[in-house]
Structure formats: structure tokens, C-alpha cells
């Protein structure tokens, strides 16, 4: 495979080239036939005549920006979200701690947090406790590992703030563009489409934020769909990065704004849920569900995906980048269908009044422990973080 002089110059600007076998792999990775339509080269995307084009090297800035986001988040949660939580009276009820028990602790750490009935009986004999006491110990031990209500509130506050600002900024970037109203114009002149500063910063900030989410996912509140969240973050980072250096920027800005349009509603519903404003939470969640269904299951597949799958073939034969981009979009769409199922199931429970937490054990508090002792083990109402379970309502909450 022969590289032209312009091609080599563009590659040197985009990324440092390794040597030997890595050089060969590097050259194949950046081969024009992979990422660009036929008869076009990277030389066609070189800056000229005052027109600036997207480059892979632009994405390097997103890593330090992601670290900056983590720093900003730390101070935001400390000096904004925490006082806001106090203002909204977000309180954590006292959690009973599991008494030290080496036998049960060893099983908890090495075998699992939810022992089966046979294992409970075995542990009862080994520890000298009754089966009821063993079950209670594991319930309390799981409660100790659960994130506090304040942690959940602060995390939701941070995401709400970013998604709201990002949505407003994204709409400001695209609302005056002709392709916002006529999607065929997304591909007008592709890929010789120069970028403007607002598109650059919209991309860099969005990509940096998703890098920061990926960096912090191990310490953030773990949701039921933890694995799906990782897949979502990775697919999003790949899509944003690819759409930038392959100049799918017009489509990319539409997709990012579409996703941000519902996320801030969800985070605000979670904030009100943690604050105990149940009716407000439920109402916002219903609005979120409607917006999510319309944007992710109607507009995205029937407008945006139609735009990225059908219209390019009217201009160029399909190429690897075309298949790659739309495959990643397919991954996101499958995740949206999965989350829509969870959302609709929860919305149905809101409407029918049968809302309960299917994922969590009842969290014991001082009052519930006293009631349990008085009732001789009678079941009490499930609690989550000290509140009656009413709203466990998100694709990832």
C-alpha cells in the first residue's frame, strides 16, 4: 500500500507514528478506503483557504479535559450539591451495622452477598447463630455497602447540571443550521465540510464528559444495568471520536443533542426522588418516559438512522466507515430498546399503583429493627435508603 506525500503529512499531524510492524498496522488503520468514500483522501481534509477541518489530533485534548471534569465535579458536589441536598432535606436514616463475624464476613466477600437457604443453614451451624440471625446479618452487611442517599443525590445533581447545559448549548449550535431542518443537507458536500468553533467545543466537551463518566464508573453508584452502562459509554466514545475524524460532524451534533434532550429530565426526577418529593418525581418521570420514547425510539431510528443509512448511499458506495458508524448506532439503538422496556415497565407501575423495588433488599433502620423484633419476624414495608420504595425508575437507577 503506497502512501502519498499529503497522506503522510496528514498522519504526522494527526498522531505520532510508531515504527516497524506497528507502523504497518498504523498505516492500515488510517487507510483512506477504511474511513472515507471512494476517490477521496485525507489530503482533501487539509486546512486551506481559511477553512478548518476536523483532525484526529484534536481529540487528544479530551483526556485532560476529562480529568478537569472530574475536578470540577468534586467541587460541584461538595459546594453546590451538598448544600442543595440540605436545603431539600435529603436525609439518611441510621443504618444498623452487621456485628463482626469472621465466618459470615469470609462468605460475604468470597462466595456472595445472597446466600441460598442451604448455605444459610450451613452458616448457621458454623457461626452458632440462628438462620434468622444469619439472614439479618447479611441484610445489614449489604446495607453497609450500599451508597448513601447523599451520594446518589450529588451524582444526580452533577449529571442533571451537565445534561441541561449540554442540551441548551447543543441546540444553540444546531438550531440555525440548514441540516437541522433538512437532513439531506447533512451530506451536502460530504466529506469536504469545514468545522466551526462552536462545533469543535460541543464535540470536545461532550467527549470529555463521557470519558470522565467512564473513568469514574467504578466509584459511582452501581446500577442494575452496570454492564449496559459501560457498553453505552464505550460505544458513545467510539461514535463521537469516529464521527469527528471521519467528518460525520453534522450527524454527530444532531445525535448528541437528541440524547441530551431527555437525560436531564431523568436526573431531575432522581433528585426529587431522593429528596422525598414523590409526586413531583413521578410526574417528571412520566414526562421523561414520553420524551425518551419519542426521541430514542421514533426520531432516532426513523429520522437520524434513516439519514445515516440511506442518504449517504445516494452519493457514494458503502465503505467500511459507513458500516462501522451505523453498526455503533445499532448498538446504541439496542440499548435504547432495553432501557425503554425498563422505563415502560416502571411507568406502568406508576399508573397502576404497583410500584416496588425489584432489585434491592429491604434496608433495615433503627425503627424497622424494633418493629421486626416486636412482630416476631413479620414482614414490614420494603425500604430503600430509608424511604418507602416508590420510585426506582430509571434505565440505569
Amino acid at each position: 500500500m503506497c502512501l502519498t506525500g499529503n497522506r503522510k503529512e496528514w498522519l504526522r499531524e494527526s498522531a505520532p507514528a510508531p515504527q516497524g510492524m506497528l507502523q504497518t498496522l498504523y498505516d492500515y488503520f488510517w487507510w483512506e478506503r477504511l474511513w472515507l468514500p471512494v476517490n477521496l483522501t485525507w489530503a482533501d481534509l487539509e486546512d486551506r483557504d481559511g477553512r478548518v477541518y476536523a483532525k484526529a489530533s484534536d481529540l487528544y485534548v479530551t483526556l485532560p479535559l476529562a480529568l478537569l471534569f472530574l475536578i470540577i465535579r468534586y467541587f460541584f458536589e461538595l459546594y453546590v450539591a451538598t448544600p442543595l441536598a440540605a436545603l431539600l432535606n435529603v436525609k439518611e436514616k441510621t443504618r444498623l451495622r452487621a456485628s463482626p463475624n469472621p465466618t459470615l464476613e469470609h462468605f460475604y466477600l468470597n462466595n456472595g452477598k445472597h446466600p441460598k437457604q442451604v448455605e444459610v443453614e450451613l452458616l448457621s451451624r458454623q457461626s452458632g447463630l440462628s438462620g434468622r440471625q444469619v439472614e439479618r446479618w447479611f441484610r445489614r452487611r449489604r446495607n453497609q455497602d450500599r451508597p448513601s442517599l447523599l451520594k446518589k443525590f450529588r451524582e444526580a445533581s452533577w449529571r442533571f447540571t451537565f445534561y441541561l447545559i449540554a442540551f441548551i448549548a447543543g441546540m444553540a449550535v444546531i438550531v440555525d443550521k440548514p441540516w437541522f431542518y433538512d437532513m439531506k443537507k447533512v451530506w451536502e458536500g460530504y466529506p469536504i465540510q469545514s468545522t466551526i468553533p462552536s462545533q469543535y467545543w460541543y464535540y470536545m466537551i461532550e467527549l470529555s464528559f463521557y470519558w470522565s463518566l467512564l473513568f469514574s464508573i467504578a466509584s459511582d453508584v452501581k446500577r442494575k444495568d452496570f454492564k449496559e452502562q459501560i457498553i453505552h459509554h464505550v460505544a458513545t466514545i467510539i461514535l463521537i471520536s469516529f464521527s469527528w475524524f471521519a467528518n460525520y460532524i453534522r450527524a454527530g451534533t444532531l445525535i448528541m443533542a437528541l440524547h441530551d434532550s431527555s437525560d436531564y429530565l431523568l436526573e431531575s426526577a432522581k433528585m426529587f426522588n431522593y429528596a422525598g418529593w414523590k409526586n413531583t418525581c413521578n410526574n417528571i418521570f412520566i414526562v421523561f418516559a414520553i420524551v425518551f420514547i419519542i426521541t430514542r425510539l421514533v426520531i432516532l431510528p426513523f429520522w437520524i438512522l434513516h439519514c445515516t443509512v440511506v442518504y449517504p448511499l445516494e452519493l457514494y458506495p458503502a465503505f467500511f466507515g459507513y458500516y462501522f458508524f451505523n453498526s455503533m448506532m445499532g448498538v446504541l439503538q439496542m440499548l435504547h430498546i432495553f432501557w425503554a422496556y425498563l422505563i415502560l415497565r416502571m411507568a406502568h407501575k406508576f399508573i397502576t399503583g404497583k410500584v416496588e423495588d425489584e432489585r434491592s433488599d429491604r434496608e433495615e433502620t433503627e425503627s424497622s429493627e424494633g418493629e421486626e423484633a416486636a412482630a416476631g419476624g413479620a414482614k414490614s414495608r420494603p425500604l430503600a435508603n430509608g424511604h418507602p420504595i416508590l420510585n426506582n425508575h430509571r434505565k440505569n437507577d
Side-chain angles (χ1 to χ4, degrees), residues 143-365:
N143 286 343
Q144 288 177 213
D145 286 348
R146 287 197 178 92
S148 67
L149 201 62
L150 178 59
K151 178 178 175 63
K152 291 182 177 181
F153 181 88
R154 293 192 301 191
E155 184 177 307
S157 300
W158 166 247
R159 297 192 185 197
F160 164 77
T161 302
F162 176 83
Y163 288 136
L164 179 60
I165 294 175
F167 175 63
I168 295 172
M171 292 303 298
V173 168
I174 63 176
V175 72
D176 62 339
K177 305 300 186 293
W179 57 86
F180 181 70
Y181 305 95
D182 181 1
M183 294 209 172
K184 285 195 172 183
K185 293 186 180 294
V186 166
W187 304 104
E188 193 174 78
Y190 176 81
I192 316 300
Q193 298 171 338
S194 58
T195 62
I196 57 178
S198 60
Q199 291 174 325
Y200 170 84
W201 283 111
Y202 186 34
Y203 254 81
M204 297 306 111
I205 290 174
E206 283 275 353
L207 183 54
S208 300
F209 180 74
Y210 278 101
W211 273 121
S212 73
L213 290 183
L214 193 61
F215 293 158
S216 65
I217 197 167
S219 59
D220 286 345
V221 176
K222 282 194 176 182
R223 317 290 180 181
K224 180 180 180 180
D225 58 349
F226 178 73
K227 293 180 181 178
E228 288 82 2
Q229 278 295 304
I230 294 178
I231 295 172
H232 174 268
H233 295 341
V234 171
T236 300
I237 289 170
I238 292 174
L239 264 174
I240 295 176
S241 300
F242 167 77
S243 65
W244 178 257
F245 72 72
N247 225 21
Y248 276 52
I249 295 173
R250 293 181 181 180
T253 54
L254 293 174
I255 294 168
M256 290 189 296
L258 185 75
H259 281 73
D260 290 335
S261 64
S262 60
D263 287 341
Y264 71 91
L265 290 171
L266 173 63
E267 300 302 332
S268 64
K270 290 163 64 177
M271 291 169 63
F272 284 113
N273 179 41
Y274 302 145
W277 295 30
K278 304 303 180 182
N279 291 333
T280 304
C281 164
N282 293 350
N283 292 333
I284 293 177
F285 179 75
I286 295 300
V287 174
F288 158 74
I290 294 172
V291 174
F292 184 93
I293 298 300
I294 292 174
T295 56
R296 309 291 180 94
L297 298 189
V298 179
I299 296 178
L300 186 64
F302 295 107
W303 273 268
I304 304 294
L305 270 175
H306 182 267
C307 171
T308 61
V309 171
V310 176
Y311 294 159
L313 299 182
E314 298 176 0
L315 302 174
Y316 302 103
F319 57 101
F320 175 79
Y322 164 86
Y323 291 117
F324 179 80
F325 181 83
N326 286 298
S327 295
M328 290 293 99
M329 288 294 294
V331 171
L332 285 184
Q333 189 59 46
M334 294 302 294
L335 290 172
H336 295 156
I337 294 172
F338 167 74
W339 285 323
Y341 165 72
L342 298 181
I343 290 168
L344 289 174
R345 187 173 65 178
M346 187 58 63
H348 177 264
K349 291 178 180 180
F350 284 159
I351 295 172
T352 60
K354 297 178 180 179
V355 183
E356 60 183 20
D357 191 336
E358 301 172 341
R359 306 173 301 172
S360 303
D361 296 310
R362 176 170 61 87
E363 181 165 322
E364 287 187 327
T365 62

Side-chain angles (χ1 to χ4, degrees), residues 359-393:
R359 306 173 301 172
S360 303
D361 296 310
R362 176 170 61 87
E363 181 165 322
E364 287 187 327
T365 62
E366 293 290 350
S367 58
S368 67
E369 174 67 7
E371 292 166 0
E372 182 181 81
K379 291 183 178 179
S380 60
R381 189 176 185 182
L383 298 174
N385 290 308
H387 293 278
I389 294 173
L390 290 174
N391 300 293
N392 197 12
H393 53 250

